Each structure stands twice: as C-alpha cells, then as structure tokens.
C-alpha cells in the first residue's frame, strides 16, 4: 500500500477555509475573464494565453465542465449554464466550506457578499480600510464643513467599528509601500489629507503620511476587536512598486510595542519574498502567512518552491490557505485544486526527507487548510472534524459547516437596561440582513428608565414613552445560540439614529470612559468575572409550587458537582462555542449554589462575555427543567450570590498594575495604586451601579465574604477590595484586585464604567491607598467605616459624586438615580416582593 495514501486522501477530501478572496461578478461584467489567470491588465492581457498558468488552468476548467479545452468553449459553457450553476459547480468541486471576502476591490457588476452565502456555508467579510476612508471623503463631511484630520479620523474610526467584519485588509503595498511610519505626525497626516482633497473626487488615497495614519488607527480598532489585519505583500496589482512590497519593510510596525498583540497576515506568500516572510513569521509572534494568489498563479515549480520556502522557518500553525479567488468562480476552483496538489507534494516531500512523520503531516494539512484560519478569524460555525472514516487510526479531521444562513430563522437583538435586566427584540433572519444590520430596530426611550418591578418608565428619570432610539446590532458579537441553533443572538448599541450614539447607551458609556483612560494615560482596564448563581428546582410546599435549592451540599462539594455535572458540562460546552473561556467552576457555599470564573480580557469584552454567560446558564438550566437565578440574596438565611470582578491595567499589552521592584508599595505599581485608590474612594457611589437593588444590601453583610466595610486588604475576602496574587505571579507582586460588591443584578457595562471613572480620578489626583486591613474588618470597626447599608445610602453618595457625574454623564446619572429610587420605594412598600426577583435575574 502507498505509504502516503492516508495523507493523499485527507488532503483530497478536506473541506477548506478560504481566508482571502473577492466578489464574483455577473457574466456580462466588463471585468475580463483573462484576469482569472493573471494579474495583468490592459494590453498585457493579450499575452496571458501564452503563460503556463493559462494553458494548465484552461485544461483543468474544461475538464471540470466537460467542454473542449478552449477559451471560447469554456465561456460558451458559462453562458449556457448560467452563473449560479457554474458557481455551484466550481465551489462544490473546490469543497470550500467557509470564505472571507475582501469586497473593497471595485469590480464591474460584482455580486454583494450576501449573494455568495447561497453557495458557501460561512461567508465573512474582510474590510478594506483604504476604501472605507475613500468612501467617507467622497461622501463629504456633515453639513458640508471643511475636513480636519480630527473630524475625518473620528468618523473613520467610528465607521470601522460599525461595519460588520471578520478582518481588515490593507493595501499600502500598492500605494506607498510597506515601510509604515507608526509615529506619523499629525502635521504630516493633515497635509496628506489636504493633498488628497485638492486632487478632487473620486478620492484615491495615495499620500504616504495619510495612508500610514489610516493604517495605525485601523490597527487600533483591529486590536480592540481582537481580529487580524491582512496586508498585501509581494506581487499583485501592477500599480505597486514591487521593491516596496517586501515584508521586511514592516519591521518598524512589528517592533512597535503598541501593536505587539495585533496579528498581521502577510498575503500572496509575499512572492517573490517568500523566504523573508517565513523569517518574519518565525521571529515575530504576531506574523501569519497566507499563500493565496501565489497558488495558483505561478507554475507548478513556482508554487511548490514558494510554499516550501514559507515552511522553511515559519511555524506550520501560522501558514494558511486561500484562493484569492476574484471575479469568477473558476478562480476559486483553481485555487483549491492547486493548493491540494501543492500541499500534498510539500508534506509528502517533508515526510520523505524525514522532517515530518505521517501523523504530523496529517495534522499540518488540517492546520493549513482549515484550523489555522478558523482560530485566527474566530469562525465559529465550523465543526472540529476533518478527514474520512477509513483513516481514523491516523486521526485526520474534516471540516463541516452545519450552520449556514439557510438554517437560521431568527436573530435576537439584545441589550441590558438600567436595572440590569437582559432584554431582546427578535427579527426574522432575512429582515435582519436586509434592513436591521444597517438601520437597526426602533425602541422606546423609556427602555432605559425601567425598574426591576415594572416595564414602564420610573419617575424622575427624564425618560418616557415619548421618543424612539435605534438598536444597532454590533455584528462583532453575533453568534449562533448554542441552545437554539436555528437562532442567532447579537448585542446592540443604542443610537439616536444610525451612527449617532445615544448618551444613555450602557455599552457606549463603557467605551467612552475606557477611551478617556486610554487617551489620557495610555491604559486599558482588563476584567474577569466570577459568576455565582443558585440552581433551583420546582417543588410542592403546602400544596403550592415553590422554587427550592437544587441540593443542600457544602462549599466545593464533589457530590454537588457530580449531581449538577450534566448541566455544568452543557454550560461549559455552550460557552466554548461562543469563545468564552471558563477558567474554573465549583459548588459554592449556599444550598444549590455554583460559581463559574471566566477568563480575563479587556473590559468591553468582559462585559459582553458576562451577558452571554448569564444567558447560557439560565437557558441550560431551563433545558434541564431547573431555574438559575443570579439574585444577590435568594434566601435571607443563606449565603448571597455575587458577580465579583477582577481588575488589572495594561499598557501596550503588558500588565502595569503589578509592582516591578521591591520599592513598590504593597507589590502594586504606582499607577496601579493610584487607580485602585480612586476606586476605593468612590466605592460608596459605585455601589449604586454594582449593587443596584435593595436585595443587594441583604447580601453585603459582615462575616459573609461580601465586603461590608470601606477598606481593602491583601487576600482578605472580608474586604470589598482584595488584592490578589494568583499562581505564577512573582513573589511580592500583586497582579490584580478583586471587587466583591458587584452582583448579578448589575448592568456590567455601567458597573465597569463607574469603576474606570473612579480609577481615572485616582490617576488624575495621584491618590494613595490607606494601610490595608489584614484582619476581619468587623473585628476592627473603630478603624473602618461601613459601606452603604442600603440602596438609599449609595444613591445619596452617587448624587453627591461630581467625578462620576462628569465622567458618566449628567443625563444618564439622572436616569440611573430615578430607577434606583423607584426600586427603593417599591420594595419598601412591598416587603415580600423581593422574592419575585428570581424571575427577573
């Protein structure tokens, strides 16, 4: 038996993730079919039929179609069959399961991205940043005012954030070269903008300073969304200076610590600079490689040598397939067909040379064809399988997309209101993509004035049923619902009209305050939440249905974990499908109480993850016939549930909360101490955000590990702020601090925004911490004062807090205090009403 039969079978049967392609055009497009075989244009196209690639590729297309091997015969087959039939035939033969399309290339009569979704299970979007900028300048500024660099940049960044995308792509190589100046001056960029505007419309951005300015800001957005930036390198359109497209010119960018975590994908195998690209991927952790265009446009020897050169130094986990298919479905077919041949030949030779074993080659094929791109671009709709059943002993895998858009019936558009309740509007999938993506859905202004007991505006909020806003979906958060796979869910921002955020929007408030922290101090706040909740079962008590705890086991009970394992396992699997990291889970001290600790990430992502986690836990519990509740105090005689949050600060990706030398106080950096001191100073008013219902204060009691006194301590779980030194942290250093007075009724965006605002105040005032309390604060009451013992007290503190009013916003604070006062009044007049909170939270 051929020793490479298993490898050949796996490669031939692999379903592919095409990580870079372009739109297909109509059959009557003016885009020449000869461009399927070459990057040439104009008169140079007449020489294309004399290239090796044309002669080889035309035969392969004719063989697929069963036609004569001539250009006329192939084009006659296209015309008689129709574009849809030809596209289906080519993509089915290519076995492409997912494709990312750069739709920024202007092609005559190109089909929009939605059209392609009828042929491929998953279609994502690569956003060409220069085209976004050019479109903005073509459309002109609001009110016809003259552009300034600041006004253009603000609109450019906002536009990038509002577009649906799975990656950015940059074409600086085709305009001004890859020697990107990441520190381009404002003066040079403004002059570049002026030069471009003077050239007239349609705008074509060619000024190097402006290109570099745009590139840097797009990188910041890509880093914010944790998505890659593709960069054209090597050969391509004829308007590039090939000498300036050598990826070695990117060294200044790759050495810039601000972007060390932003993953860069070098396209086109960087041909003829494939060795240089391989070197960069080997020494820079953020560099990845894509060999589309080089395969299939080169001769067989050229393709083989180019891919081999990529793998000379580059880790296999960083090399990815794409077709660079453009205009014609045949280009997708050819890219896939030749990639299979080349990858098989490269891996076979590596096995013959002793570089790889057969199992290692199988894994390499899996990585190159699918897994590397799937993980890099966060393509969630693809299963983990790859390969065929007849070679399972060697563990190959096969991609299978099971969740095409045809399977999605509805999309849930979700938001969290001022009282911390999760709400959603649901629209059919077609309407979502046809209308809602761009225009959102209408929502009453009263939505941010509702309390936990009434679906109507609270008095004193200055909000009512008069007026409407738009819920604009944030497509970067859209996911298939794990427990209802015929639906998707997406988090939404609140806009006055598309593109203009509403000042009451919680997600925008968090982003805005986080931007102040970044702009003033070059700091990013990171967060990780712990989620405590009760699992309840229905029982008959005195002839009436009542929700009672799932069990009565103690803290970290193994029997509790065993009993709840089917539920907990479903929760973890669902969270993993949403790319939400679970670091730890265990039974808590309350009867039927459990805790999930989530992974650490930027504060905006942490808040999104918390919302999805609550949704998952509640839904999975319902699926098992139980109820999950995050109410702070389910039973007054049992332990309460918190949503503790761990906080740290990073600068250019490095934790700067941690002290770096023995001279630091308490193992905390000076920056970290100032920030944390600000949080401690404002903690009474922060409680109005993080402990938002009267029931929250039933939980925050002495001797319950909930933090009832205004103090901080080192590893002191009775303090509301606890500094932590988890395993792996250098001795004497503190990696983060935990805020315990945060519960499951809190809107996480507003809670984190209040924490950042307080920290900013600490940084501005260079605040210092008092001495830590390393005893139970209840034992030293004379040294510390009590935190607010009621929602009334925390609301009073908030109303007197000018810092939070300034940073959070006067109007939003009025709405928040109005909602909180409605909670105080209602629950004081209805003493048993708190028991109904389990249905709300």
């Amino acid at each position: 038996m051929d020793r490479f039969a298993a490898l050949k079978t796996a490669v031939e049967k692999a379903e592919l993730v095409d990580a870079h392609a372009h739109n297909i055009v109509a059959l009557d497009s003016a885009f020449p079919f000869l461009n399927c075989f070459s990057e040439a244009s104009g008169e140079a196209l007449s020489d294309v039929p004399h290239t090796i690639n044309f002669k080889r590729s035309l035969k392969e297309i004719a063989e697929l179609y069963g036609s004569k091997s001539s250009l006329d015969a192939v084009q006659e087959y296209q015309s008689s069959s129709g574009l849809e039939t030809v596209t289906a035939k080519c993509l089915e033969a290519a076995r492409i399961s997912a494709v990312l399309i750069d739709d920024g290339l202007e092609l005559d009569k190109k089909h929009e991205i939605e059209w392609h979704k009828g042929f491929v299970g998953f279609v994502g979007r690569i956003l060409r940043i220069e085209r976004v900028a050019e479109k903005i300048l073509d459309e002109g500024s609001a009110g016809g005012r003259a552009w300034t660099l600041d006004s253009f940049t603000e609109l450019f960044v906002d536009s990038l954030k509002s577009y649906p995308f799975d990656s950015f792509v940059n074409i600086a190589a085709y305009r001004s070269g890859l020697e990107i100046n990441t520190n381009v001056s404002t003066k040079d960029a403004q002059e570049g903008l002026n030069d471009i505007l003077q050239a007239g419309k349609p705008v074509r951005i060619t000024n190097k300073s402006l290109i570099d300015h745009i590139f840097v800001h797009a990188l910041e957005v890509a880093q914010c969304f944790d998505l890659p930036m593709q960069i054209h390198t090597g050969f391509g359109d004829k308007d590039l200076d090939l000498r300036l497209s050598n990826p070695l010119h990117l060294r200044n960018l790759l050495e810039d610590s601000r972007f060390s975590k932003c993953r860069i994908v070098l396209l086109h195998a960087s041909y003829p600079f494939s060795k240089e690209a391989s070197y960069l991927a080997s020494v820079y952790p953020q560099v990845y490689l894509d060999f589309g265009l080089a395969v299939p446009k080169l001769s067989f020897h050229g393709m083989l040598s180019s891919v081999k050169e990529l793998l000379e130094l580059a880790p296999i986990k960083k090399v990815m397939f794409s077709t660079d298919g453009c205009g014609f479905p045949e280009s997708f077919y050819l890219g896939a067909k030749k990639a299979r041949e080349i990858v098989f030949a490269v891996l076979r030779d590596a096995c013959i040379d002793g570089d790889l074993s057969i199992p290692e080659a199988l894994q390499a094929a899996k990585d190159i064809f699918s897994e590397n791109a799937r993980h890099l671009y966060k393509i969630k709709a693809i299963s983990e399988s790859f390969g065929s059943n007849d070679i399972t002993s060697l563990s190959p895998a096969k991609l299978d997309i099971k969740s095409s858009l045809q399977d999605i019936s509805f999309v849930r558009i979700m938001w969290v209101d001022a009282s911390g309740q999760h709400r959603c509007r649901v629209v059919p999938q077609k309407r979502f993509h046809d209308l809602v993506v761009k225009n959102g859905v209408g929502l009453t202004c009263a939505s941010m004035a509702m309390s936990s007991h009434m679906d109507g505006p609270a008095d004193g909020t200055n909000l009512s049923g008069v007026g409407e806003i738009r819920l604009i979906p944030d497509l970067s958060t859209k996911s298939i619902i794990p427990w209802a796979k015929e639906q998707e869910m997406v988090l939404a921002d609140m806009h006055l009209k598309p593109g203009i955020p509403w000042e009451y929007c919680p997600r925008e408030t968090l982003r805005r305050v986080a931007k102040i922290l970044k702009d003033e101090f070059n700091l990013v706040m990171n967060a990780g939440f712990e989620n405590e909740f009760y699992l309840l079962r229905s029982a008959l008590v005195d002839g009436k249905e009542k929700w009672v705890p799932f069990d009565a086991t103690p803290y970290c009970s193994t029997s509790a974990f065993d009993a709840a394992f089917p539920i907990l396992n479903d929760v973890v699997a669902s969270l993993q499908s949403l790319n939400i990291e679970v670091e730890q889970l265990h039974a808590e001290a309350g009867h039927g109480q459990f805790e999930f600790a989530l992974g650490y990430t930027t504060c905006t992502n942490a808040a999104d993850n918390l919302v999805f986690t609550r949704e998952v836990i509640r839904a999975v519990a319902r699926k098992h016939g139980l109820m999950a509740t995050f109410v702070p105090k389910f039973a007054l005689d049992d332990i309460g549930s918190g949503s503790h949050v761990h906080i740290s600060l990073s600068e250019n990706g490095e934790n700067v909360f941690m002290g770096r030398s023995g001279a630091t106080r308490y193992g905390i950096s000076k920056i970290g101490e100032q920030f944390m001191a600000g949080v401690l100073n404002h903690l009474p008013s922060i409680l109005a955000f993080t402990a938002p219902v009267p029931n929250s204060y039933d939980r925050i009691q002495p001797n319950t590990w909930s933090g009832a006194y205004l103090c901080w301590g080192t590893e002191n779980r009775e303090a509301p702020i606890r500094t932590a030194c988890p395993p792996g942290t250098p001795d004497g250093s503190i990696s983060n601090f935990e805020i315990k007075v945060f519960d499951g009724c809190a809107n996480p965006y507003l809670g984190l925004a209040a924490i950042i605002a307080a920290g900013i105040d600490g940084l501005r005032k260079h605040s210092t911490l008092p001495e830590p309390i390393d005893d139970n604060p209840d034992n030293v009451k004379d040294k510390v004062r009590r935190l607010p013992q009621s929602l009334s007290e925390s609301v009073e503190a908030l109303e007197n807090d000018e810092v939070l009013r300034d940073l959070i916003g006067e109007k939003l604070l009025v709405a928040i205090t109005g909602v909180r006062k409605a909670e105080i009044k209602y629950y004081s007049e209805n003493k048993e009403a708190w028991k109904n909170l389990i249905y709300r939270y």
Side-chain angles (χ1 to χ4, degrees), residues 213 265 292 586 801:
H213 176 81
V265 182
H586 62 269
D801 196 321

Side-chain angles (χ1 to χ4, degrees), residues 205-397:
I205 298 176
T206 56
N207 180 276
K208 175 171 168 49
S209 294
L210 184 58
I211 288 173
D212 292 350
H213 176 81
I214 287 169
F215 185 73
V216 167
H217 283 280
L219 267 185
E220 291 174 347
V221 176
Q223 196 158 248
C224 174
F225 283 88
D226 192 28
L227 288 173
M229 171 73 78
Q230 296 184 351
I231 299 182
H232 284 276
T233 60
F235 77 133
D237 298 352
K238 75 168 189 175
D239 54 354
L240 65 79
D241 182 336
L242 190 59
R243 294 166 298 181
L244 299 179
S245 68
N246 186 325
L248 291 180
H249 288 301
L250 292 169
R251 186 172 182 273
N252 286 339
L253 166 66
L254 300 176
E255 291 287 338
D256 193 319
S257 60
R258 292 174 295 168
F259 306 117
S260 62
K261 301 298 182 182
C262 189
R263 288 151 304 164
I264 303 294
V265 182
L266 307 181
L267 298 176
H268 307 336
S270 297
Y271 182 85
F273 309 112
S274 301
K275 288 184 177 180
E276 289 88 338
S278 181
Y279 163 73
L280 292 176
S282 72
V283 297
Y284 290 101
Q286 69 268 43
V287 174
Y288 294 74
L289 309 176
D290 181 302
F291 56 72
L293 189 63
V295 178
K297 291 293 196 295
L298 304 179
S299 69
F300 189 89
H301 173 74
M303 291 186 286
L304 189 68
S305 62
S306 182
V307 175
K308 282 189 174 182
E309 285 178 354
L310 290 184
L311 290 171
E312 283 182 359
L313 287 173
I316 293 171
K317 290 286 186 181
K318 288 185 168 187
V319 178
M320 290 173 288
F321 157 82
S322 77
T323 63
D324 201 50
C326 180
F328 309 99
E330 293 86 354
S331 62
F332 291 77
Y333 168 69
L334 294 171
K337 185 176 188 299
K338 303 319 292 182
R340 293 183 199 279
E341 295 174 12
I342 294 301
V343 169
F344 171 72
V346 169
L347 296 179
R348 178 201 59 202
D349 289 353
C351 292
I352 292 172
D353 294 337
D355 288 339
L356 296 176
S357 65
I358 296 293
E360 288 171 336
L362 285 164
Q363 182 63 47
K366 171 183 177 180
D367 291 337
I368 291 169
F369 281 135
S370 62
E371 293 302 281
N372 293 344
R374 184 175 75 85
H375 291 297
L376 185 66
Y377 299 102
K378 300 181 180 180
I379 302 174
K380 304 173 185 176
I382 303 176
S383 75
E384 296 287 345
S385 58
F386 178 100
S388 57
N389 293 331
D390 58 337
I391 51 172
T392 52
S393 61
L394 292 175
S395 302

